[in-house]
Amino acid sequence: SVIRRIADTSSLTTRFFYYLASVCHASEHIKLALHQSTVIVDRYIGSTRSFHLAAGLSKELVDIATKVDIATKVDIVIPDLQFLITAPLKVRKQRIKRRGDPTLSDLWEARLKFDDIVLEHLRSVCDHMIENMGTVEDVVSYMESIVKQRMEEQ
C-alpha cells in the first residue's frame, strides 16, 4: 500500500507531511459530519504530532504545522476533547498477535518505545486518559458520559 511505502522509504519529514495531509483530508469530512452529529476520530492530529516527535522530528517543525492558531488557518478542525485510550504493553501485544497482521501504528509503537516516548507526548495533548482493560462498550460508555457532561457545561 502507499502508506507502507511512504513509511518504509521516505524521510521522517516526508512522512509527517503525508500524515498531516491525511489529517487535513479527515478534517474536511469531520466538518461535514459535525453538521449532523458528534464526531469521534481515531489517530488524528494528536497522534500525528506525538508519533513524529517521538521519532525525532524537530519540535519546532511539528509545532509550526500543528499549533491551534496555524491549524485553524489551514482549516484543520481542532478537537473539543481528546481521549487517549491505552492498555498495558502486554495486553497490546496480545491483541496485535490475535489480530494477525500488525498495522503501521503497531510497527511504529514497537520502534519508538511507545510506553516511554509516544505516550508522554500523547498524554500532553489529551483531555482524558482511559485504560482499556474492559470491553469496547465500557470504553464507549465512559467516553459518552464525558461528552455528555461537556455538552451540559457549554
Side-chain angles (χ1 to χ4, degrees), residues 9-148:
T9 62
S10 299
S11 71
L12 187 58
T13 302
T14 300
R15 280 184 277 179
F16 173 67
F17 283 106
Y18 176 81
Y19 279 92
L20 194 57
S22 70
V23 169
C24 292
H25 178 73
S27 190
E28 293 173 4
H29 294 279
I30 292 166
K31 278 185 256 171
L32 294 173
L34 281 171
H35 292 292
Q36 299 169 11
S37 66
T38 299
V39 177
I40 297 174
V41 182
D42 186 28
R43 302 287 176 159
Y44 192 55
I45 199 162
S47 295
T48 300
R49 280 184 54 84
S50 299
F51 275 88
H52 287 87
L53 285 168
L57 193 61
S58 153
K59 185 174 182 332
E60 181 180 56
L61 177 62
V62 172
D63 283 350
I64 287 170
T66 59
K67 277 188 175 176
V68 171
D69 57 332
I70 301 296
T72 54
K73 286 178 184 163
V74 294
D75 222 14
I76 295 174
V77 175
I78 302 301
D80 293 324
L81 288 169
Q82 293 190 65
F83 295 91
L84 173 58
I85 304 169
T86 190
L89 180 60
K90 182 178 179 180
V91 173
R92 289 197 314 270
K93 284 184 176 183
Q94 289 170 345
R95 291 174 181 171
I96 291 168
K97 187 175 183 179
R98 197 172 44 241
R99 267 196 327 251
D101 188 30
T103 66
L104 193 55
S105 294
D106 297 334
L107 298 174
W108 270 57
E109 287 180 18
R111 288 184 202 147
L112 297 175
K113 298 181 181 174
F114 184 80
D115 283 337
D116 299 331
I117 302 169
V118 178
L119 269 178
E120 177 186 330
H121 291 292
L122 286 168
R123 283 185 186 113
S124 73
V125 297
C126 80
D127 300 298
H128 299 277
M129 188 167 160
I130 302 169
E131 190 74 23
N132 183 9
M133 295 302 292
T135 65
V136 171
E137 292 78 14
D138 293 337
V139 172
V140 170
S141 176
Y142 180 70
M143 290 173 67
E144 285 175 338
S145 70
I146 292 170
V147 169
K148 183 179 177 184

